[in-house]
Amino acid sequence: MVSITIKNGYLWQVLGRPAEYNKFVFAPVLGELYDGINIRPYRRQEETPTFPLTDYIDNQLPKIIDRCRHECGKIADAVWVRARVPAIFGFTPLSLPFADYKYALLEQTFVACQQSSVNDDWVAYPFVCEDYDLRVGLRFIPDTLLTEVYQSIAKAFWELLLLEPEHVHPFCDGYVHYNELGDEEWLLVEFKNSRCIIEFADYIDF
């Protein structure tokens, strides 16, 4: 019998279809990160994502990602990731029915599964693909014993998404954004014809 061990998290349901790359099998899931004491479903607002996508792009940004920017010119690569995920996994990242409870464009749990080289058993590593101010990265439960594994997972995950950067799905979504004064504002984010639109809105109707 083949067994699977889940490291630092819980899994309840696989969503969409899995994708294999560089000895890992990735799948979007319903699940939580768990550090042995607390379930950690959300990051704090002041935290920026670790393992950012931009760290795994060797040279120039693909044009389709480079076009995803705020009006001020800052990169908004989470928009591209939000459009890219459905093309790979056949699954639209989860969104909340009420935008005023959603504080990021992207906050989707994935699992990276790796088969043991000794037997047929598997190990699953949950992580969250999320953004802060539309800059995207990955979040794991901190574990110094798994640092190298996390680095390998991040590298494989981003390389998988970058294999066909132009293969994307259009979408319209939104979330609550904190402005420079700390006030809440609604941001509408749309991706169509390989271009992104980011604009303020009085409300967001999903």
Side-chain angles (χ1 to χ4, degrees):
M1 178 182 293
V2 176
S3 67
I4 182 168
T5 301
I6 302 170
K7 295 285 189 179
N8 297 328
Y10 292 114
L11 305 180
W12 290 289
Q13 183 179 347
V14 174
L15 307 170
R17 59 176 179 262
E20 185 174 359
Y21 184 80
N22 199 17
K23 299 181 180 180
F24 288 102
V25 177
F26 295 99
V29 298
L30 284 177
E32 304 281 8
L33 303 185
Y34 178 64
D35 62 7
I37 300 174
N38 299 304
I39 291 176
R40 299 177 60 181
Y42 304 110
R43 58 166 168 72
R44 295 191 300 273
Q45 289 299 322
E46 67 272 15
E47 290 180 344
T48 55
T50 55
F51 302 102
L53 168 62
T54 48
D55 283 2
Y56 297 85
I57 297 177
D58 293 332
N59 298 308
Q60 189 173 3
L61 283 171
K63 290 182 179 179
I64 193 170
I65 301 178
D66 193 46
R67 289 196 293 264
C68 295
R69 293 184 178 272
H70 293 272
E71 286 187 358
C72 64
K74 291 192 305 181
I75 194 69
D77 50 10
V79 179
W80 173 79
V81 173
R82 171 65 175 76
R84 183 77 179 99
V85 165
I88 298 175
F89 299 101
F91 163 79
T92 299
L94 298 178
S95 185
L96 296 177
F98 303 103
D100 52 343
Y101 289 97
K102 185 181 181 188
Y103 289 91
L105 175 67
L106 189 63
E107 195 163 16
Q108 177 61 52
T109 304
F110 285 83
V111 64
C113 299
Q114 188 176 44
Q115 193 168 25
S116 170
S117 58
V118 178
N119 51 42
D120 292 331
D121 293 342
W122 289 79
V123 181
Y125 303 92
F127 63 93
V128 178
C129 180
E130 63 186 5
D131 75 275
Y132 179 80
D133 198 22
L134 298 180
R135 293 295 302 272
V136 69
L138 308 179
R139 174 163 53 94
F140 298 84
I141 288 293
D143 189 333
T144 56
L145 297 177
L146 296 176
T147 299
E148 291 186 5
V149 176
Y150 290 168
Q151 291 171 344
S152 297
I153 290 171
K155 184 175 185 296
F157 184 76
W158 291 132
E159 287 180 353
L160 171 64
L161 267 65
L162 289 164
L163 283 177
E164 298 180 88
E166 301 288 338
H167 185 199
V168 292
H169 284 196
F171 73 87
C172 183
D173 204 341
Y175 68 101
V176 175
H177 163 79
Y178 285 102
N179 63 22
E180 295 178 354
L181 299 177
D183 297 326
E184 291 185 348
E185 296 176 328
W186 283 267
L187 274 185
L188 179 68
V189 182
E190 188 173 2
F191 189 88
K192 62 180 180 180
N193 300 323
S194 297
R195 295 185 179 275
C196 80
I197 300 170
I198 305 169
E199 57 187 10
F200 296 105
D202 293 330
Y203 68 94
I204 297 173
D205 184 4
F206 289 114

